[in-house]
């Protein structure tokens, strides 16, 4: 009976995609937003022994022919399971040349619209990726794999502690990652940005604790992941500090925090209440309210480039208003209902506007897709958009170093550095420094243009930025 059912399903699938003038078989290309960079993916779907099979390429990561598990299509729905990355792609095929869907990898979800392409599957061996800064053993310092729990024992953290040999009274920092579940090394496009940073600092005589985020590496996810916000991640940092205080090698008066991106908002959050924090460093940290950063990113994603000032203003008014609904609810239906009203009102006001001229994709679908993408993290998004980092920064008296890159298109340098500086002046903090590096992006790589893919850059972390960070820590803790 089971065999008959399976055979019937195969016959149904085959009749669907072979009985149409258009076929799902072929190559499909699209882009996902990966940390502010557009990451191209190319799926190749073929028929083998009367069944669908697929693989995909990530050209920016120099990765081709990545194997998938099952590939299924039923009616207009297509599901590609990708066990190799603990992920999948699920979408709706329009029967011709487009699939609207969501790419998922672990806890990461991103909207992915695929269009038919003539780009063939690569058969040649790609050039090996070179990441010369990735640390290699043997190390000239102590390195320990450790674990600890949070206060209520609901989460167990996996981490690495590196500290100098034959040296006492050294400063120690906790690295705080940006948004999304990241491993302790900050692995992205084969870069190990946090490991590179930790290696450099430890060689310079500074202890470093780098920790797997919840649900990444060997850290458990903990209860109610859909309700997690930056406040919860701040408590995770508190747990890391408590661990360091139990280590006899660590000077409890020289513990600092280095926060990258969202971590740059979390570090001040911890520092204003935890007197053990002696100093903090903000790497591409926010200095303006979250909704301003979010709206800027969404305008860049949704609005066509090179518009006139008038057209841009009309387009921006829709993007800003549509995204404002994330600030006031965490319920999918409520957010979508609010967006529909906003869109209808905008259309009525701008009935003569050609949407295809203003937007990369017209209509409601991009915004509804965004809601679906962030459905598992709407509580986090609401907190982020409503959080103003100035509230904590304006209370800090401890030494602060804030660094941004002029080519950062995720957390723009000038407005955020200015916001940080103004808040610290309000606190009458006389121990802070701010700096914008030319030609550095959000990951502190040297880039030829703001849009250059992280994966296309050989450098993992600017040596000049690394030296600036280590020199400041050692000078501050003399």
């Amino acid at each position: 009976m089971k065999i008959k059912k399976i055979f019937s399903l195969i016959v149904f699938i085959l009749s669907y995609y072979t009985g149409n003038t258009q076929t799902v078989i072929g190559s499909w290309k699209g882009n996902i937003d990966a940390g502010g960079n557009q990451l191209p993916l190319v799926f190749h779907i073929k028929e083998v022994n009367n069944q669908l099979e697929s693989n995909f390429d990530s050209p920016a990561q120099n990765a081709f022919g990545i194997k998938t598990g099952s590939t299924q299509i039923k009616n207009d729905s297509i599901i590609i399971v990708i066990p190799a990355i603990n992920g999948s792609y699920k979408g709706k095929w329009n029967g011709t040349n487009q699939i609207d869907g969501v790419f998922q990898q672990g806890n990461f979800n991103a909207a992915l619209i695929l269009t038919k392409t003539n780009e063939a599957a690569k058969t040649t061996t790609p050039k090996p990726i070179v990441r010369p800064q990735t640390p290699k053993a043997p190390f000239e310092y102590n390195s320990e794999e450790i674990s600890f729990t949070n206060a209520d024992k609901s989460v167990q953290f996996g981490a690495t502690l590196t500290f100098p040999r034959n040296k006492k009274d050294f400063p120690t920092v906790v690295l705080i990652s940006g948004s999304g579940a990241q491993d302790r090394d900050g692995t992205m496009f084969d870069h190990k940005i946090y490991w590179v940073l930790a290696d450099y600092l430890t060689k310079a005589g500074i202890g470093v604790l780098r920790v797997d985020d919840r649900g990444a590496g060997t850290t458990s996810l903990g209860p109610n992941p859909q309700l997690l916000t930056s406040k919860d991640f701040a408590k995770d940092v508190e747990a890391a500090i408590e661990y360091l205080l139990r280590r006899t090698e660590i000077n409890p008066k020289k513990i600092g925090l280095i926060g990258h991106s969202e971590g740059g908002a979390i570090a001040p959050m911890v520092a204003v209440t935890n007197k053990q924090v002696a100093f903090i460093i903000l790497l591409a940290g926010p200095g303006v309210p979250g909704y301003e950063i979010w709206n800027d990113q969404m305008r860049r994603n949704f609005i066509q480039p090179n518009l006139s000032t008038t057209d841009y203003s009309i387009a921006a008014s829709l993007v800003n208003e549509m995204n404002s609904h994330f600030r006031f609810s965490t319920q999918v239906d409520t957010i979508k209902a609010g967006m529909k009203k906003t869109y209808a009102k905008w259309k009525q006001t701008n009935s003569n506007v050609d949407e295809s001229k203003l937007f990369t994709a017209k209509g409601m679908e991009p915004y509804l897709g965004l809601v679906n993408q962030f459905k598992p993290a709407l509580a986090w998004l609401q907190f982020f958009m409503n959080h103003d980092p100035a509230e904590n920064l304006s209370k800090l008296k401890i030494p602060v170093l804030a660094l941004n890159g002029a080519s950062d298109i995720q957390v723009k340098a000038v407005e955020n550095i200015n916001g940080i500086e103004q808040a610290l002046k309000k606190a009458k903090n006389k121990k802070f420094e701010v700096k914008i590096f030319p030609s550095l992006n959000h990951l502190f790589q040297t880039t030829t243009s703001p849009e250059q893919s992280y994966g296309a850059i050989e450098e993992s972390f600017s040596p000049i930025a690394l030296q600036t960070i280590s020199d400041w820590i050692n000078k501050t803790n003399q």
Side-chain angles (χ1 to χ4, degrees), residues 216-229:
T218 60
T219 294
S220 60
L221 186 58
N224 302 316
Q226 72 279 5
L227 300 179
L228 294 174
T229 72

Side-chain angles (χ1 to χ4, degrees), residues 127-248:
K127 182 180 178 181
I129 295 174
V130 178
R131 299 288 183 250
Q133 290 174 290
T134 300
K136 297 177 179 62
F139 304 114
E140 54 194 67
Y141 49 76
N142 297 304
S143 180
E144 297 182 15
E145 303 297 299
I146 57 100
S147 64
F148 57 91
T149 62
N150 58 353
D152 63 6
K153 311 296 183 185
S154 61
V155 180
Q156 178 165 307
F157 299 92
T160 299
L161 176 64
T162 55
F163 56 96
R165 292 176 184 165
N166 306 316
K167 182 180 179 181
K168 297 181 180 180
D169 197 32
F170 51 84
T172 303
V173 295
V174 179
L175 299 188
I176 311 171
S177 73
S179 57
Q182 301 182 52
D183 66 25
R184 70 191 72 179
D185 296 332
T187 304
M188 186 180 297
F189 301 97
D190 289 300
H191 292 289
K192 307 281 187 180
I193 56 174
Y194 300 146
W195 190 7
V196 170
L197 175 58
D199 178 72
Y200 189 96
L201 294 182
T202 311
K203 287 177 179 177
I206 300 161
V208 180
L209 178 63
R210 62 187 199 274
V211 186
D212 291 327
D213 290 341
R214 292 184 184 221
T218 60
T219 294
S220 60
L221 186 58
N224 302 316
Q226 72 279 5
L227 300 179
L228 294 174
T229 72
S230 301
K231 290 179 69 174
D232 299 286
F233 304 143
K235 292 178 182 177
D236 295 345
V237 176
E238 298 273 6
I241 295 171
E242 286 301 312
Y243 171 80
L244 289 178
L245 292 174
R246 296 194 294 269
R247 295 289 300 238
T248 57

Side-chain angles (χ1 to χ4, degrees), residues 174 176-177 230-231 233-235 237-238 241 256-288 383 387-402 416 419-421 423-424 427 429:
V174 179
I176 311 171
S177 73
S230 301
K231 290 179 69 174
F233 304 143
K235 292 178 182 177
V237 176
E238 298 273 6
I241 295 171
L257 306 176
I258 298 181
H260 175 235
S261 194
E262 182 193 1
I266 294 171
M269 200 181 300
V270 175
V272 294
T273 58
N274 191 319
K275 301 307 178 185
Q276 292 295 154
V277 179
F279 60 93
I280 63 172
I281 297 175
L282 312 178
L283 303 179
V288 299
F383 181 90
H387 179 68
D388 185 353
E391 293 179 11
N392 292 314
L393 291 166
S394 62
K395 301 173 185 176
L396 288 180
K397 303 288 188 182
I398 61 174
V400 178
L401 174 66
N416 284 282
I420 291 169
E421 184 173 19
L424 292 172
N429 188 321

Side-chain angles (χ1 to χ4, degrees), residues 397-412:
K397 303 288 188 182
I398 61 174
V400 178
L401 174 66
L403 306 176
N404 285 61
S407 292
D408 189 340
I409 57 177
Q410 289 180 252
V411 180
K412 289 186 175 178

